[in-house]
């Protein structure tokens, strides 16, 4: 049947079961927004304060729900404001479809008002980009974009429509095909063949070889990476860990892939990893890394990383194999499928002596009784009072590391953090997306005073949509992680890291119509967080901390994984 081109865009979103879109309108995308008005009962649009906030919200929605996020923006600065969010999603393998519109065909390439080559700009930070010049291709492009974003190693895709393609007078042929059926369309099948979209079926011989290596191991260690979370392979990973009776170290992106309070958990690994994780990595004889790319924050010195072990890498992306750390064996395939096959092939093992030894490497932490407020006290209060399934989004820096160290993440999508790109300003947008996608869950946003200044304008979004997000600011009056490096490595030369400036965060929250609290003691923190849980509206808790609080442990970049600068 014949329908408007813009109507086809909306119908294709409905094909993919999209019910929420984040974005910000502008001149070139007005035809799309005008059509959206006709679909407002079917597609909920969240208007953010800034396009970057919309990009992070769509990303947070995707990570927390397991669905594909969708983000709209106009041309020129609207599109370029998305790029940080696109790169953030790309580095952390988050499936988001970004939809922009550009100037009309006659104006293209003439430096027209708000014209930019966004497909060219976004090419290195997306799985695919599309510039739509022919309206008849809209259904195929939309279906392909969602297939590319969600299939294989997930990631962002960008579609840029020329404005004349979306003109109200333009009609195209269209047939509604639900997403569960449209993967069988000829265009999708051709795309799957040409782009190798289908996850490779694991080689049975490779799985058998790993089973043999496990049988020979006395000191195995499992490494839970972001691929376990993205692939929703947490159940299979847990079964493997328990059958192996092996300690489990967790990367920043692996949070939620294995229960954080499980007896086999050793905590985070790498630069700010626990002593147990880092020492176990150095002393194990078999390291099985699932969905982990061995970034420089994990394998700080690739040459000496897990030097006593045979290293096995399981990853869906063949290009990650041997990219950062040379392996002794690898399996290319979807984490869930590989672990299913492996679980079928191995018996139950017992490595009690090894697991007990590793467990002793993490000393028991005594509760702090300081009168002054510390990061540990802030996080212990949140962990004790918040529901166990609460979603936690973070920005980047000291508070991020403290949050990951002290919270126990038990399921995929419970932790939302920018691991690969390290994006300050990610947290509040991601929390908005998570709350929109999980309206019945408590969402806590942890941030630093430096990060929060970068995205605090999104408080207007929190207030307008009545999102009960609790923002907890670790306010130490400095760019804490940078100051920590300056203290330890740069001879206490604190160049441009002191944040001796406004705003008053409590008054800022109140200016946006939200509740604000300032806390300086553990007792005040408990009262404020209880009040925030009861408020049923957005709240900001300004926690005043000492400027010289540090993240411990710490290993310097490029150093041996057990060469701790701080214990």
């Amino acid at each position: 049947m014949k329908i408007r081109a813009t109507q086809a865009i909306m119908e294709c979103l409905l094909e993919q079961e999209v019910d929420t879109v984040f974005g910000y309108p502008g001149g070139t995308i007005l035809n799309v927004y005008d059509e959206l008005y006709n679909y407002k009962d079917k597609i909920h649009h969240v208007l953010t304060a800034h396009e970057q906030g919309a990009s992070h919200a769509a990303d947070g929605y995707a990570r927390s729900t397991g669905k594909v996020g969708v983000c709209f923006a106009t041309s020129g600065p609207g599109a370029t404001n998305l790029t940080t969010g696109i790169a953030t999603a790309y580095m952390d393998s988050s499936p988001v479809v970004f939809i922009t519109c550009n100037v009309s065909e006659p104006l293209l390439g003439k430096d027209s008002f708000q014209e930019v080559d966004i497909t060219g700009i976004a090419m290195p930070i997306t799985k695919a980009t599309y510039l739509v010049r022919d309206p008849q291709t809209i259904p195929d492009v939309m279906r392909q974009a969602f297939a590319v974003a969600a299939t294989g190693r997930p990631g962002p895709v960008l579609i840029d429509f020329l404005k004349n393609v979306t003109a109200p007078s333009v009609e195209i042929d269209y047939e509604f095909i639900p997403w569960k059926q449209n993967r069988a369309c000829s265009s999708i099948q051709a795309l799957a063949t040409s782009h190798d979209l289908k996850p490779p079926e694991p080689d049975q011989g490779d799985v058998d070889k790993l089973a043999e290596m496990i049988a020979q191991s006395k000191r195995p260690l499992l490494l839970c990476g972001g691929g376990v979370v993205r692939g929703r392979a947490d159940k299979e990973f847990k079964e493997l860990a328990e059958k192996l009776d092996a300690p489990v170290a967790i990367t920043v992106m692996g949070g939620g892939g294995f229960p954080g309070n499980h007896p086999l958990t050793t905590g985070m690994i790498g630069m700010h990893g626990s002593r147990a994780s880092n020492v176990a990595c150095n002393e194990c004889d078999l390291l099985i890394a699932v969905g982990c790319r061995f970034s420089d924050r994990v394998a700080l010195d690739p040459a000496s990383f897990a030097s006593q072990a045979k290293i096995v890498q399981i990853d869906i992306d063949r290009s990650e194999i041997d990219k950062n750390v040379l392996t002794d064996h690898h399996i290319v395939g979807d984490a869930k499928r590989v672990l299913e096959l492996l679980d079928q092939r191995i018996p139950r093992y017992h490595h009690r002596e090894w697991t007990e030894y590793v467990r002793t490497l993490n000393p028991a932490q005594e509760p702090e009784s300081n009168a002054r407020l510390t990061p540990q006290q802030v996080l212990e209060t949140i962990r004790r009072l918040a529901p166990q399934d609460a979603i936690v989004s973070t920005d980047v820096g000291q508070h991020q590391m403290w949050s990951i160290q002290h919270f126990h993440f038990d399921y995929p999508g419970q932790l939302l953090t920018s691991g690969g790109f390290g994006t300050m300003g990610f947290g509040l947008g991601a929390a908005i997306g998570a709350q929109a996608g999980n309206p019945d869950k408590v969402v806590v946003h942890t941030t630093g005073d430096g990060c929060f200044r970068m995205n605090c304008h999104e408080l207007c979004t929190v207030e307008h949509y009545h999102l009960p997000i609790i923002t907890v600011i670790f306010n130490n009056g400095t760019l804490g992680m940078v100051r920590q490096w300056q203290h330890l490595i740069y001879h206490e030369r604190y160049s441009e890291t002191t944040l001796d400036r406004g705003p008053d965060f409590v008054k800022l929250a109140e200016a946006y119509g939200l509740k604000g609290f300032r806390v300086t003691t553990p007792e005040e923190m408990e009262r404020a967080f209880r009040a925030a849980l009861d408020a049923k509206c957005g709240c900001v808790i300004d926690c005043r901390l000492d400027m010289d609080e540090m993240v411990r442990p710490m290993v310097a970049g490029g150093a041996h994984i057990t060469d701790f600068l701080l214990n």
Side-chain angles (χ1 to χ4, degrees), residues 250-266:
I250 304 174
T251 70
V252 167
M253 296 312 303
F258 188 72
N261 61 353
H262 194 284
L264 292 173
T265 300
T266 61

Side-chain angles (χ1 to χ4, degrees), residues 28 51 261 341 404 439 445 530:
T28 60
E51 290 91 354
N261 61 353
L341 293 173
I404 295 170
H445 164 223
R530 286 186 185 276

